[in-house]
RNA sequence: CGGGGCGUAGCGCAGCCUGGUAGCGCGCCAGUUUUGGGUACUGGAUGUCGCCGGUUCAAAUCCGGCCGCCCCGACCA
């Protein structure tokens, strides 16, 4: 491709909305343009990267026997009502009404559609297992799209769904996808980790995330260096109730008493005001679990993991109560909830009180007084209030003990989730009558799995991981072009002839090459090639050509070397191959 | 949804407080120049100042409403 005939609108200055490297360079390099919040146009360069990633995904999926399909973006509400998600998905599901007043949604995922497809055409165990996938745009009406392609509302995803006759087969299907995903991300040149994850509202019983290691990632991941256990922070368990080991000696502690805390709402404020540490303040979070309010006690310096709470309670949904509920339950404005003297619920039942293990064994603590602008101090758990049970519900932190080995301690890193696989079981197949007959003639629901990869998110993640101040340093397999030829003085016949030959030779060698044949200053070409992130650049200029040389630059390492013109194409073709190019 | 900010040329911004000719840099077009890391000079084109309404002789500027975008928080296969 010749730059003079290409559309590559690079920008010298970054649009002000871009904060992250990936967002900035994608915009500046002319890969994408924003159309609306979280919605982007893909320009020619962006599409090229998208295709390279998609092709890798496709190859690895096909290698595992998965079959490519293409499902509709617009889906009828009926299917979602069948699975129950029309009610449960919430405002993230973009719903539309057609001219006949029928309800539809723009698919945020395709479990319903694929399950419907499977139940119609798959009847016998002889036809299983089947794994079908597609690469297609999804829409999720995110509250807050951010970071360009990192969290858009419309994005491109590869989603696959497996159907097996039994759990054993389904586990094999799951493992095949696990392996395929590792191969895909490795081929994309990403530094990633496989992470144990929660299944969220998609359901199922086993799940792994594939996280690209990046400072700018939204997810927090804990990893134990001694046993390599790696898990999303929101569900990282802790080893035993070690926090509460110190036994309470309530004897010397005076009765609890109210203190006026007029302007102190946060734990930090209260601790500072009363001259105690934040770990001596116990915060009481009013949550709603499956519709019932529940009080959850946590040490002031800890955060709640709503995922761990949900799992510990065996609830299907857990959320923080809204202000009105908090006021009803505590009789005080938000910020002063405490375990002492909580009101019974509307139905007359006493509100349940649970606590994190770390609260066990604390004594002489500060808690909210369930009264506006008051706290209690010298409170002793067990003496002044009772806890129904102690649970592991706080977010694990770096340094916390790993539950899978005797002495390991978690370390923390941030990641960008680029893939997620779920062992679904029969959640959708049972709800939607996706059944088959086994060898004995029994009718059973199929055992499913689903597997997603954020294709557009890979683009962003790859940049977060591979860039410098000048621009992108694409890994060769997903770079928009593998090499560029920069003709520094197009008016000079020697230069243009040499550059044309290099261009032709590289093409003949199967290299995906961009030829900068514009009548521009050298600086412009260098800057654009670096910005756009072409891995290998051959610089053909009058100065070196006079000696029969051109310069070969490696964008990733920054090394430049002078080589004879005649050898340059061969050298670059060789390096492209070694780096995993086409 | 709560808090904050922004909306003026393709991009980055000034002008608004204190109402009166719409500006700067980059980019773009023409020409000259330059030719190994965004060259210099000359000339030029480009704006419903986000939208609607109000105040006023006069509104980018003041007032009201709406819309859009960004950031923080809550949310999130």
């Amino acid at each position: 491709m010749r730059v003079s005939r290409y559309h590559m609108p690079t920008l010298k200055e970054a649009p002000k909305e871009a904060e992250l490297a990936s967002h900035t360079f994608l915009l500046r390099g002319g890969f994408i343009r924003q159309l609306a919040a979280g919605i982007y146009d893909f320009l020619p360069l962006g599409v090229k990267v998208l295709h390279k990633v998609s092709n890798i995904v496709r190859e690895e999926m096909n290698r595992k026997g998965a079959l490519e399909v293409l499902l509709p973006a617009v889906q009828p509400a009926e299917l979602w009502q069948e699975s129950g998600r029309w009610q449960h998905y919430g405002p993230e599901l973009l719903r539309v009404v057609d001219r006949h007043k029928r309800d539809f949604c723009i698919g945020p995922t395709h479990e319903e559609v694929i399950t419907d497809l499977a139940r119609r055409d798959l009847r016998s165990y002889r036809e299983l297992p089947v794994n079908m996938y597609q690469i297609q745009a999804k829409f999720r009406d995110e509250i807050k799209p951010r970071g360009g392609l990192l969290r858009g509302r419309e994005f491109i995803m590869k989603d696959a769904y497996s159907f097996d006759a039994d759990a054993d087969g389904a586990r094999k299907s799951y493992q095949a996808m696990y392996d395929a995903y590792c191969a895909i991300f490795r081929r994309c040149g990403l530094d990633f980790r496989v992470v144990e994850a929660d299944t969220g509202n998609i359901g199922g019983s086993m799940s792994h995330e594939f996280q690209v290691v990046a400072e700018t990632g939204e997810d927090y991941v804990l990893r134990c260096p001694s046993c390599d256990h790696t898990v999303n922070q929101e569900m990282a368990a802790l080893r035993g109730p070690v926090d509460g080991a110190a036994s309470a000696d309530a004897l010397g502690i005076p009765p609890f008493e109210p203190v006026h805390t007029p302007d102190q709402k946060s734990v930090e404020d209260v601790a500072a005001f009363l001259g105690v540490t934040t770990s001596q303040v116990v915060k009481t979070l009013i949550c709603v679990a499956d519709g019932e309010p529940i009080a959850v006690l946590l040490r002031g310096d800890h955060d709640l993991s709503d995922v761990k709470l949900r799992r510990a309670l065996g609830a299907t949904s857990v959320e923080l109560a809204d202000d009105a509920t908090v006021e009803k339950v505590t009789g005080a404005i938000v910020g002063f909830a405490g375990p002492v003297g909580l009101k019974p619920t509307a139905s007359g039942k006493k509100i349940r009180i649970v606590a994190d293990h770390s609260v066990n064994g604390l004594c002489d603590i500060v808690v909210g007084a369930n009264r506006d602008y008051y706290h209690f101090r010298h409170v002793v758990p067990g003496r002044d209030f009772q806890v129904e049970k102690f649970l592991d519900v706080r977010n694990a932190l770096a340094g916390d003990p790993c539950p899978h080995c005797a002495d390991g301690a978690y370390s923390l890193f941030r990641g960008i989730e680029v893939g997620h696989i779920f062992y679904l079981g029969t959640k959708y197949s049972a709800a939607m009558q996706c059944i088959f007959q086994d060898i004995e003639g029994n009718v059973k629901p199929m055992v499913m799995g689903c597997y997603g990869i954020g294709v557009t998110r890979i683009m962003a993640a790859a940049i977060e991981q591979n860039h410098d101040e000048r621009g992108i340093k694409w890994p060769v397999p997903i770079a928009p072009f593998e090499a560029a030829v920069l003709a520094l003085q197009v008016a000079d016949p020697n230069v243009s002839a040499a550059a044309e030959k290099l261009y032709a030779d590289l093409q003949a060698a199967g290299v995906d090459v961009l030829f900068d044949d514009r009548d521009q200053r050298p600086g412009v070409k260098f800057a654009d090639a670096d910005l756009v992130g072409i891995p290998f650049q051959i610089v053909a200029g009058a100065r070196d050509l006079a000696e029969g040389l051109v310069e070969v630059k490696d964008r990733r390492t920054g090394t430049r070397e002078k080589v004879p013109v005649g050898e340059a194409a061969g050298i670059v073709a060789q390096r492209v191959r070694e780096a995993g190019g086409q």
Side-chain angles (χ1 to χ4, degrees):
Chain A
M1 181 54 66
R2 313 174 95 93
V3 178
S4 61
R5 313 215 16 220
Y6 203 56
H7 184 53
M8 196 177 88
T10 55
L11 264 23
K12 241 188 215 184
E13 286 176 284
K16 64 168 178 237
E17 66 267 22
E19 296 199 323
L20 301 178
S22 62
H23 196 187
T24 302
F25 292 136
L26 250 8
L27 250 13
R28 281 192 54 206
F31 291 83
I32 60 170
R33 288 291 183 259
Q34 178 169 317
L35 182 62
I39 301 179
Y40 292 86
D41 301 321
F42 281 76
L43 277 48
L45 279 178
V47 169
K48 284 215 73 177
V49 175
L50 220 44
H51 285 342
K52 296 227 174 165
V53 174
S54 303
N55 285 340
I56 291 173
V57 170
R58 215 171 250 126
E59 283 176 23
E60 297 302 328
M61 292 300 292
N62 292 347
R63 197 191 299 279
K64 294 295 183 187
L67 307 171
E68 185 165 5
V69 294
L70 185 57
L71 305 171
V74 176
Q75 311 178 10
E78 286 75 24
L79 285 182
W80 287 73
Q81 284 155 353
E82 251 188 274
S83 70
R85 286 159 113 195
W86 188 256
Q87 280 72 35
H88 292 123
Y89 212 95
E92 207 174 291
L93 182 65
L94 182 64
R95 296 154 213 252
V96 292
V97 180
D98 76 2
R99 62 165 70 194
H100 303 295
K101 303 269 188 299
R102 282 190 284 253
D103 289 322
F104 287 84
C105 64
I106 314 289
T109 175
H110 282 70
E111 281 80 14
E112 283 79 2
V113 172
I114 197 82
T115 305
D116 176 63
L117 217 213
R119 72 178 167 185
R120 283 189 285 162
D121 295 336
L122 264 18
R123 290 284 151 73
S124 156
Y125 74 94
R126 289 201 197 107
E127 297 170 298
L128 301 179
V130 171
N131 182 331
M132 291 186 273
Y133 75 97
Q134 62 171 344
I135 298 174
Q136 182 231 30
K138 299 273 187 274
F139 194 94
R140 288 181 196 167
D141 199 357
E142 297 275 354
I143 295 171
K144 188 176 128 187
R146 56 169 289 266
L149 259 32
L150 262 192
R151 177 172 291 276
R153 291 195 294 170
E154 180 172 307
F155 55 96
I156 299 192
M157 175 166 148
K158 186 284 308 178
D159 49 324
Y161 308 86
S162 64
F163 299 86
D164 275 270
D166 54 36
D168 226 38
R171 268 190 291 275
K172 284 194 188 103
S173 295
Y174 184 92
Q175 185 61 40
M177 286 298 103
Y178 184 110
D179 295 341
Y181 276 37
C182 289
I184 288 166
F185 299 123
R186 201 178 314 117
R187 281 185 63 189
C188 286
L190 298 169
D191 177 19
F192 68 98
R193 296 287 135 74
V194 186
V195 176
E196 287 176 31
D198 182 51
T199 52
N201 76 7
I202 200 161
S205 57
M206 172 166 57
S207 179
H208 289 90
E209 289 169 348
F210 295 76
Q211 294 274 0
V212 164
V213 181
E215 275 307 307
T216 47
E218 293 184 287
D219 290 327
Y220 289 84
V221 181
L222 291 159
R223 177 174 169 269
C224 172
S226 50
C227 70
D228 205 37
H229 173 236
T230 307
V231 59
N232 196 303
Q233 183 186 44
E234 64 183 12
M235 70 171 253
L238 293 165
R239 190 195 314 137
V242 293
D243 287 307
S247 78
D249 178 8
L251 288 179
I253 297 166
F256 71 88
E257 59 176 13
V259 273
H260 191 40
T261 47
D263 295 314
Q264 288 76 33
K265 286 184 88 174
S266 75
V267 167
E268 287 74 22
D269 292 345
V270 172
F273 183 74
L274 296 176
V276 298
T277 63
T278 52
S279 61
Q280 290 171 277
V281 177
V282 166
K283 56 185 171 189
T284 303
L285 302 176
I286 307 300
C287 296
V288 176
D290 292 344
E292 277 299 308
I294 181 169
V296 183
L297 271 41
L298 281 178
R299 235 166 63 182
D301 55 338
H302 289 155
D303 287 320
L304 176 70
S305 161
D306 53 348
V307 170
K308 285 168 72 171
L309 178 63
R310 191 190 75 225
R311 297 165 85 104
L313 295 175
T316 55
S317 87
V318 162
E319 56 196 15
L320 276 178
D322 57 29
D323 290 5
T325 306
V326 172
E327 285 169 26
K328 211 165 69 194
V329 168
T330 66
I333 59 171
V334 174
F336 301 94
V340 183
L342 276 180
K343 288 188 175 174
T345 57
S347 54
K349 267 194 302 188
K350 258 189 98 178
I351 183 169
R352 295 176 67 190
I353 300 177
V354 297
D356 185 74
H357 287 305
S358 59
V359 173
N360 194 6
L362 290 179
C363 59
D364 197 359
I365 57 174
V366 173
V367 299
N370 297 321
R371 176 181 166 196
D372 292 4
Y373 311 114
Y374 278 89
H375 281 77
F376 288 135
R377 69 174 153 200
H378 305 313
V379 170
V380 179
R383 183 189 76 179
D384 301 323
F385 66 89
Q386 297 301 322
V387 170
E388 180 187 317
K389 54 184 163 184
F390 290 95
L391 304 168
D392 175 17
V393 294
R394 73 172 174 91
N395 264 342
L397 299 167
D400 279 334
C402 165
H404 289 292
C405 55
D407 56 352
Y410 283 128
S411 61
L412 182 78
F413 69 89
R414 296 175 70 174
I416 299 168
E417 180 190 355
V418 290
H420 201 154
I421 59 179
F422 300 84
Y423 179 95
L424 288 178
T426 56
K427 172 176 170 164
Y428 294 88
S429 51
M432 295 181 64
Q433 289 294 301
C434 181
I435 52 181
F436 71 102
Q437 277 194 307
D438 69 11
I439 196 164
E440 281 139 8
N442 303 312
V443 173
K444 294 176 174 171
M446 297 179 201
V447 187
M448 295 175 57
C450 76
Y451 320 92
I453 288 182
V455 176
T456 39
R457 192 180 270 185
I458 285 178
M459 279 177 70
I463 297 171
E464 289 301 323
Q465 221 169 47
N466 301 282
H467 69 271
D468 61 15
E469 62 294 335
R470 291 176 179 282
I472 305 167
K473 303 199 248 188
W474 289 112
V476 173
I478 62 172
F481 290 95
E482 292 161 338
V485 174
L486 311 188
L488 296 193
Q489 303 87 10
V490 281
D492 182 333
N494 289 332
V495 173
S496 58
E500 288 284 355
K501 177 145 198 325
L502 283 165
Y503 178 47
D505 289 350
L506 283 165
Q507 282 182 309
V511 176
D512 189 10
V513 55
L514 183 68
F515 177 23
D516 196 341
D517 60 340
R518 292 175 297 178
D519 185 11
Q520 281 286 357
R521 299 221 80 215
V524 174
K525 303 190 182 195
F526 292 134
D528 275 348
D530 287 349
L531 206 212
V532 165
I534 314 295
F536 298 102
Q537 301 166 16
I538 301 183
V539 181
R543 193 186 68 194
D544 291 338
L545 239 22
E547 300 167 46
L549 300 173
V550 290
E551 189 175 276
V552 171
K553 174 176 161 181
D554 183 323
R555 174 70 179 97
R556 185 166 277 272
T557 62
T559 50
R560 309 177 198 185
E561 51 192 314
K562 299 201 197 295
V563 304
V565 217
E567 293 171 26
I571 291 171
V572 168
Q574 170 69 19
R575 293 203 185 147
V576 166
R577 245 175 278 125
E578 284 165 2
Q582 297 172 341

